[in-house]
Structures are given as structure tokens and as C-alpha cells.
Amino acid sequence: MRYILLFSFFFLFLNCEDKKSNKTKNLKVEFEKKKAVKTVVEDIKREFPKLNSKNAMEFFLEYEKENKERKVRITTDFGTIDIQLFEKTKFHRANFIFLTKQKYFNDTQFYRVIDNFIVQAGNSDDKKTARKRANIGKYLLPTDTKRGYKHDRGMVSMPSSEIDNPHKLASPFEFFIVQQRGGAHFLDGDYTIFGKVIKGMDVVDKMAAVDADEADWPLQNIFIRNVEIID
């Protein structure tokens, strides 16, 4: 009788261990499946490489060949602005089209307004904007100032980065529109002009007239609600 009880206990122990082992294996398999699915999802989300100072120019050289769009519409709290992008400044045009397709500009702001000078956009104090930038990558664009364009009223140009930047490399996430009557030609040669406003300068004038603080940040928020390609 004792042998039968020992045998039963031994059999029960092995059975429990077997079940425990199978459960562990199943959990490992399930974990690997979830890990694989997560990797696939992340790969799907990141259709393009994370950009940096080493790969950005090569990326945009190829990107501009397949993405020839040249007109965008910016919808703001004050109305819409249509912009024609210049083909000659191909890296800056391609960059703007890329960021538009990535929905980067949506919910950013015109964060700097100086009446009879410029309105500047593409940034925000919202952490979401910082996260979008981090996801796209950290890079600068070279100046491209010898295409014959001048900072006339309505021209769209790219400011230089705030980092130590003696060559005035362009901050790719931001842009400014010249609102000054007669133009702001003292900017010529320092900043890359890559487009012009073809409709909506009345909207630019309204934004420029908003009261601002000492840092030129408008006291009334001016959000970019959407940027879309129209041609």
C-alpha cells in the first residue's frame, strides 16, 4: 500500500512539473510572439529612417526625386495661406514636403510675430512638438542662398538653428514669412528662401498685427491646424 501511495505521489509530482514546464514554455512563446508583433508595428510606423547630420542630405536627395509636390496650404486660426515651394532649393522643398506628409506642422504655432517684419512658425511650447521632432530626428540643412531670390514681401525662408552655428545652417522644422512692406533685404545671403505666399498675405498681416511679449511671442495663440499638399 505504501508503494502505491509513493508511486501515485511521484506520478502526481511529475505531472505537475510537466504542466509547469509547459506553462513556462507557453509564456515564453507568447512573449516572443508579442515581441515580434511589436517590432513589426514599430517598423510599419517608421517608414523612413531617423534623420541625423550624417544621413539627412542623402535622404532628401532621394526623397525629392519621388516627391515633386510644390504647393501647400497652411490652415491657421486666422485663415489659410497658400505657398508655392521653389524647385531650385530642392533640399529645403523636399524637407518641407516630408514634414508636411509626416503631419509635423499640425498643432505647432506661429510663435514669433513682428509687425512690418516677419511671422515665424513651426514650433510650440507643447511637449508633443518636442516628441515629434525627436521621432523624426536631429539634423540641420545647409544654406542655399545663391538662387536669385530676395527676401521680398511674401517670401518664405528658413531661420538658422539656435545652436552654435557660425555657418547659419537652417533649422528644418521652422520657417518664416516676410511681412515687411518693401521686403527685408538685409536678410539676403544669410537665410534660404524656399517658397513664396501666393494667396493669404492678408492672413499674414492679421497675424503680424497681434500684440506680442518682449520675446515677440504673440499674446494670442496662433495655431497651425493643418498643412496639406494641394499640388
Side-chain angles (χ1 to χ4, degrees):
M1 183 68 178
R2 189 173 65 179
Y3 289 111
I4 294 173
L5 289 173
L6 285 173
F7 179 77
S8 298
F9 175 77
F10 182 68
F11 179 78
L12 183 63
F13 174 78
L14 288 177
N15 193 41
C16 289
E17 285 296 308
D18 189 49
K19 286 181 179 179
K20 184 178 179 182
S21 178
N22 288 337
K23 186 176 181 180
T24 301
K25 288 179 181 178
N26 290 337
L27 287 173
K28 286 182 179 179
V29 171
E30 196 66 28
F31 174 77
E32 292 299 326
K33 284 182 179 179
K34 288 182 179 179
K35 185 178 178 182
V37 169
K38 183 180 179 183
T39 301
V40 171
V41 169
E42 287 175 348
D43 288 343
I44 291 172
K45 286 182 178 179
R46 181 163 289 285
E47 185 180 354
F48 301 102
K50 193 166 187 175
L51 299 179
N52 55 50
S53 58
K54 294 182 179 180
N55 67 8
M57 296 306 294
E58 183 179 353
F59 171 78
F60 286 120
L61 184 64
E62 294 302 315
Y63 188 84
E64 69 92 20
K65 294 176 183 178
E66 302 295 329
N67 298 269
K68 296 294 186 181
E69 299 91 341
R70 291 180 57 196
K71 288 182 183 178
V72 298
R73 175 166 294 153
I74 301 173
T75 301
T76 76
D77 291 338
F78 283 59
T80 60
I81 304 166
D82 290 354
I83 291 175
Q84 172 82 56
L85 302 175
F86 298 144
E87 190 172 354
K88 288 182 180 179
T89 49
K90 60 183 180 180
F91 290 111
H92 300 74
R93 182 198 64 80
N95 173 76
F96 200 90
I97 292 297
F98 173 70
L99 294 179
T100 295
K101 290 184 176 181
Q102 298 300 303
K103 303 294 184 183
Y104 166 75
F105 293 112
N106 294 5
D107 299 321
T108 59
Q109 295 173 255
F110 277 88
Y111 65 91
R112 186 183 181 209
V113 297
I114 306 175
D115 198 17
N116 199 29
F117 181 35
I118 64 166
V119 294
Q120 189 162 318
N123 207 343
S124 172
D125 54 3
D126 191 331
K127 291 182 180 179
K128 184 169 65 175
T129 299
R131 288 196 295 268
K132 283 194 285 187
R133 288 190 181 202
N135 185 56
I136 292 168
K138 186 177 181 180
Y139 63 102
L140 298 173
L141 294 176
T143 53
D144 192 357
T145 59
K146 298 180 180 180
R147 301 294 180 178
Y149 304 124
K150 295 184 180 299
H151 284 85
D152 297 326
R153 174 175 160 84
M155 286 297 195
V156 183
S157 190
M158 194 170 288
S160 60
S161 170
E162 293 180 355
I163 64 173
D164 184 18
N165 187 11
H167 301 293
K168 294 186 181 295
L169 299 180
S171 175
F173 298 104
E174 300 172 37
F175 64 94
F176 66 87
I177 300 172
V178 179
Q179 186 255 345
Q180 185 170 333
R181 294 157 187 83
H185 298 132
F186 63 92
L187 300 175
D188 295 347
D190 285 337
Y191 306 100
T192 300
I193 300 163
F194 65 98
K196 66 178 180 180
V197 174
I198 55 176
K199 184 180 179 182
M201 276 306 294
D202 58 324
V203 176
V204 175
D205 288 336
K206 288 177 186 176
M207 293 191 295
V210 171
D211 290 336
D213 63 18
E214 293 180 356
D216 302 319
W217 190 285
L219 299 181
Q220 177 182 351
N221 287 331
I222 308 173
F223 282 98
I224 294 176
R225 299 303 178 180
N226 187 47
V227 178
E228 60 186 312
I229 294 166
I230 55 176
D231 188 14

